[in-house]
Amino acid sequence: MSQQLLTLIDQLSQTHMLSEEALLLLLREHTPVSDGYLFALAREACGSVYGNKVFVRGLIEITNHCKNDCLYCGIRRSASSTVRYRLSMEQILQCCENGYVMGIRTFVLQGGEDASFSREQLVEMIQTIKENYPDCAVTLSLGEWSADDYRAFRMAGADRYLLRHETADEKLYASLHPAAQTFENRMQCLDDLKKEGYQVGCGFMVGSPGQKEEHLVRDLCFIKQFQPHMVGIGPFIPHHDTPFANERAGSIRQTLFLLGILRLLNPRLLLPATTALDTIDVHGWEKGIEAGANVVMVNLTPEDERSKYLLYDNKNRANDRVTAGKNKLSERIASTGCEIAWVRGDYKYD
């Protein structure tokens, strides 16, 4: 069996595709030996496109208000224990300035779907950031909007958009969200973002309640078909104020294995080692990079508000590690044999 797994990984490395049956076999049967072999090929594939560079993004969590009620999320509408906040334009610009001085050249504006931020306000925010920092990229991660809204943000200067699809299985999606939030609309939003010319990111949770290996294979096949520029995955981590409070967290081993698979499916991907990975394991970033990731996010959110943006429990445990100074950050990345590139870090097209 071990030789068969290694042969399949070789095939994936050479052709960047595998059958659903082969992917399912890898997910069910992978071993420490096959993991190590996969990670070595994933790092080689990443290096062939991006060298040994890891790109840093500055994360600004602009609001934890959200109209949605996703069953897994700690800032869901029904999370009564959440202390709400939203940043002002002045606060957001100060976050950008702090990140710019550090050397960061991509700002990620993330938040719940907060109706208090209108299209016009966000357009002004994007335009102001781009005017102040013309050599920087602006990434949005603000959920579902209309095609017209996405077009307005793009015209204002937004470069990238992260919208995790969470799962490519419609039934599983319905079990994770209330009826008002549909799988069909999420897929439509991703299509709209592609059409508007964004560098588009999707992604999924690993180990979400009800998830099976077959669901993960569907995610991998969807990503191969959709051809996003970025993919963000991380282990499911429960939050105490959600219906999934008592569910088991996702596996770091499975998450790392999937990072390696994603890298071989598309060596050009911008692939983050996520904060969730660093929350579930004190060396999560390093392990993610060694498995094929090439992006990390530094949290620039003001300290007074940062502790309130809790999508899952124990996120604060990782905050000190993901907000560390430039030298500490460089040390962590260097321990993997890679180095930070203080540049925009755009997707490399063919």
Side-chain angles (χ1 to χ4, degrees), residues 4-239:
Q4 183 182 8
L5 297 179
L6 299 184
T7 299
L8 289 175
I9 292 169
D10 272 332
Q11 181 183 339
L12 177 60
S13 176
Q14 294 163 13
T15 66
H16 311 304
M17 62 178 63
L18 278 180
S19 68
E20 292 184 28
E21 293 78 9
L23 288 169
L24 187 59
L25 179 64
L26 282 175
L27 284 166
R28 285 179 171 168
E29 304 294 340
H30 68 101
T31 66
V33 171
S34 63
D35 288 0
Y37 189 63
L38 171 69
F39 298 158
L41 290 178
R43 283 299 335 152
E44 182 180 330
C46 186
S48 70
V49 180
Y50 295 104
N52 70 337
K53 307 300 184 184
V54 172
F55 305 116
V56 180
R57 315 306 197 196
L59 177 63
I60 307 171
E61 296 155 332
I62 68 172
T63 177
N64 71 347
H65 290 261
C66 192
K67 68 181 183 181
N68 294 331
D69 222 13
C70 306
L71 276 66
Y72 50 83
C73 183
I75 64 169
R76 65 196 301 262
R77 186 180 69 242
S78 297
S80 58
S81 66
T82 298
V83 179
R84 305 291 177 173
Y85 76 90
R86 60 177 61 91
L87 301 185
S88 66
M89 174 76 88
E90 291 73 23
Q91 287 176 300
I92 292 166
L93 292 176
Q94 185 59 58
C95 292
C96 292
E97 179 62 19
N98 295 342
Y100 192 85
V101 170
M102 185 179 180
I104 290 170
R105 294 299 181 265
T106 287
F107 303 119
V108 181
L109 307 184
Q110 184 182 73
E113 294 192 23
D114 184 352
S116 291
F117 281 107
S118 66
R119 178 205 291 188
E120 291 72 24
Q121 286 174 304
L122 290 171
V123 163
E124 181 185 4
M125 189 184 303
I126 296 162
Q127 289 175 334
T128 303
I129 293 171
K130 294 293 281 192
E131 288 168 4
N132 290 357
Y133 307 99
D135 56 332
C136 293
V138 171
T139 300
L140 303 179
S141 182
L142 300 171
E144 297 180 0
W145 293 73
S146 72
D148 287 342
D149 292 328
Y150 289 144
R151 184 174 303 114
F153 303 152
R154 181 79 177 112
M155 292 178 66
D159 302 278
R160 310 181 190 126
Y161 204 106
L162 302 171
L163 183 65
R164 297 210 323 182
H165 65 280
E166 303 301 358
T167 173
D169 183 89
E170 187 168 1
K171 289 184 179 179
L172 182 58
Y173 190 93
S175 75
L176 302 175
H177 303 86
Q181 296 168 237
T182 67
F183 178 79
E184 180 182 15
N185 194 61
R186 181 58 59 109
M187 292 295 116
Q188 183 62 58
C189 286
L190 285 169
D191 285 341
D192 290 341
L193 288 164
K194 261 286 192 76
K195 290 174 184 175
E196 293 304 325
Y198 287 91
Q199 292 177 47
V200 180
C202 62
F204 55 91
M205 294 179 289
V206 180
S208 59
Q211 187 184 71
K212 299 178 180 179
E213 287 92 349
E214 290 87 350
H215 296 128
L216 292 170
V217 168
R218 290 183 187 177
D219 285 316
L220 295 172
C221 291
F222 165 71
I223 288 166
K224 183 63 180 177
Q225 178 270 323
F226 182 64
Q227 287 293 298
H229 308 91
M230 306 169 281
V231 175
I233 70 169
F236 163 75
I237 304 174
H239 185 282

Side-chain angles (χ1 to χ4, degrees), residues 240-312:
H240 64 276
D241 199 8
T242 70
F244 295 152
N246 297 318
E247 297 287 345
R248 180 182 298 180
S251 159
I252 185 170
R253 182 180 173 225
Q254 190 79 308
T255 305
L256 294 172
F257 190 75
L258 287 160
L259 281 172
I261 294 289
L262 286 165
R263 174 58 66 196
L264 294 186
L265 280 173
N266 182 355
R268 297 179 179 276
L269 278 177
L270 295 167
L271 197 58
T274 61
T275 304
L277 201 60
D278 217 49
T279 298
I280 206 167
D281 187 292
V282 69
H283 299 296
W285 270 6
E286 290 88 342
K287 291 178 180 179
I289 291 166
E290 289 166 352
N294 66 333
V295 174
V296 294
M297 290 197 187
V298 172
N299 198 327
L300 300 176
T301 309
E303 288 188 25
D304 290 348
E305 313 297 2
R306 192 181 300 155
S307 62
K308 303 170 188 173
Y309 197 87
L310 293 180
L311 305 182
Y312 42 80

